[in-house]
Amino acid sequence: MSERSASLLVTDSLGIQFGGLRAVDGVQLRVGSGEVVGLIGPNGAGKTTCFNMITGVYKPTSGSISLGGERIDGMATTEINRRGIARTFQNIRLFRSMTVLDNVRVALHRQADYGIFSSVLRLPSYRRAEAQLRKRALELLDVFSLVGRSNDIASGLPYGEQRKLEIVRALATNPKLLLLDEPAAGMNPQETAQLTELIGRLRREFGVSILLIEHDMSLVMKICEHIYVLDYGKEIAQGEPTAIQNNQQVIKAYLGEA
Ligand SMILES: Nc1ncnc2c1ncn2[C@@H]1O[C@H](COP(=O)(O)OP(=O)(O)OP(=O)(O)O)[C@@H](O)[C@H]1O
Ligand SMILES: [Mg+2]
């Protein structure tokens, strides 16, 4: 196994129970600084539930979650976002009736509320601060080739572009770790290829680490340096892409049908 970089996110014996269902059970994830890590497995394996615990939507019933060595489990979603974790959703969540630009501006404003707000307030005029946010929003949209869509209403965008806009919005909160829940779902092969390239740029140009849930195995195997496999809430394998692709238990539980 090749060496991995210093830990950014670590979950230790992470678990959650919904009534009689152990949706996630004893999961040990690790995302190194600057890594792209995959989280895969069949439908209902507990992947999104892991994201929900990491982002504070659900409180784990067992185990712990640390970011940069500090415990974050049990914290509010806004606090976890402030500490550097942003996500996208399996079912796209945008401000559907707002413009593309405003979707990003709202995210930048939220970030400003916590981080740069004081410095923003000190600027000579509110208008200049607004102009700065607008400029930053357009820069981010440019990375995703969405500037031409700035004034379009979000709900009118093709599906693939809505997914990209969601990533831009997550990025606007200036995360250390980006959690992407099936970003390629509903994309055509050309959009998926573009997304693969974009995820590479995110880590290079923005220095973010990425934890990726995805059913598109060509995408996962191409960009992840490490992969965790869940099945019925339990981790059944972890390792490099080639090892995962050849793991009999993974093939039986998931890859055989994928
Ligand atoms: N709030 C909840 N209450 C009860 N059960 C839940 C809740 N959230 C998730 N579950 C259950 O936990 C299990 C794991 O669901 P989860 O959404 O994490 O799966 P997944 O791996 O993301 O699957 P998919 O690939 O289909 O998105 C499922 O059986 C699901 O029905
Ligand atoms: Mg899911």
Side-chain angles (χ1 to χ4, degrees):
M1 204 153 87
S2 69
E3 278 193 26
R4 297 180 59 195
S5 57
S7 297
L8 177 63
L9 179 85
V10 176
T11 74
D12 185 28
S13 307
L14 186 63
I16 191 165
Q17 185 137 4
F18 297 117
L21 175 76
R22 279 216 148 275
V24 174
D25 192 2
V27 168
Q28 313 263 109
L29 303 174
R30 194 173 89 72
V31 180
S33 180
E35 278 186 333
V36 178
V37 173
L39 182 59
I40 67 172
N43 295 121
K47 306 178 298 295
T48 298
T49 303
C50 285
F51 275 19
N52 283 332
M53 287 190 282
I54 294 167
T55 55
V57 175
Y58 296 150
K59 194 172 153 56
T61 48
S62 59
S64 67
I65 306 168
S66 307
L67 182 73
E70 287 183 42
R71 289 278 295 267
I72 57 165
D73 48 280
M75 286 182 181
T77 53
T78 48
E79 174 62 15
I80 290 172
N81 181 241
R82 196 189 65 75
R83 283 168 178 254
I85 301 181
R87 77 179 291 184
T88 63
F89 293 88
Q90 187 166 353
N91 306 308
I92 298 174
R93 292 192 196 175
L94 292 168
F95 295 112
R96 296 178 50 80
S97 57
M98 279 166 48
T99 65
V100 167
L101 183 66
D102 283 345
N103 264 275
V104 183
R105 278 213 292 228
V106 167
L108 285 169
H109 263 292
R110 280 194 192 151
Q111 158 75 4
D113 284 343
Y114 299 113
I116 57 171
F117 198 46
S118 50
S119 58
V120 165
L121 278 178
R122 262 180 257 123
L123 286 171
S125 74
Y126 175 77
R127 268 176 59 195
R128 221 169 97 189
E130 279 301 306
Q132 249 188 12
L133 285 184
R134 185 189 156 83
K135 185 165 164 273
R136 181 69 186 141
L138 288 170
E139 278 169 7
L140 289 170
L141 286 168
D142 189 41
V143 174
F144 286 75
S145 313
L146 284 171
V147 171
R149 296 286 200 184
S150 299
N151 297 318
D152 292 10
I153 298 299
S155 62
L157 294 186
Y159 200 71
E161 292 193 337
Q162 291 193 25
R163 287 227 172 259
K164 287 202 295 185
L165 177 57
E166 235 205 339
I167 300 177
V168 175
R169 232 179 33 162
L171 211 54
T173 66
N174 201 21
K176 298 186 187 98
L177 174 68
L178 192 54
L179 309 180
L180 302 176
D181 197 344
E182 300 195 25
M187 285 189 173
N188 64 39
Q190 196 194 339
E191 288 172 323
T192 304
Q194 197 199 22
L195 178 73
T196 309
E197 200 253 327
L198 277 169
I199 291 175
R201 280 186 67 189
L202 288 186
R203 109 201 288 179
R204 284 195 306 276
E205 292 173 26
F206 293 83
V208 290
S209 309
I210 292 166
L211 182 59
L212 169 78
I213 297 175
E214 186 48 67
H215 287 291
D216 184 325
M217 282 307 110
S218 62
L219 173 70
V220 169
M221 298 300 168
K222 208 176 288 170
I223 61 174
C224 296
E225 50 228 278
H226 199 86
I227 297 170
Y228 292 89
V229 189
L230 299 187
D231 189 27
Y232 292 109
K234 288 200 162 72
E235 201 175 295
I236 59 165
Q238 63 153 312
E240 291 171 8
T242 41
I244 293 299
Q245 272 174 309
N246 295 308
N247 182 305
Q248 284 310 313
Q249 204 183 345
V250 176
I251 291 169
K252 191 157 172 269
Y254 180 52
L255 292 181
E257 34 139 325

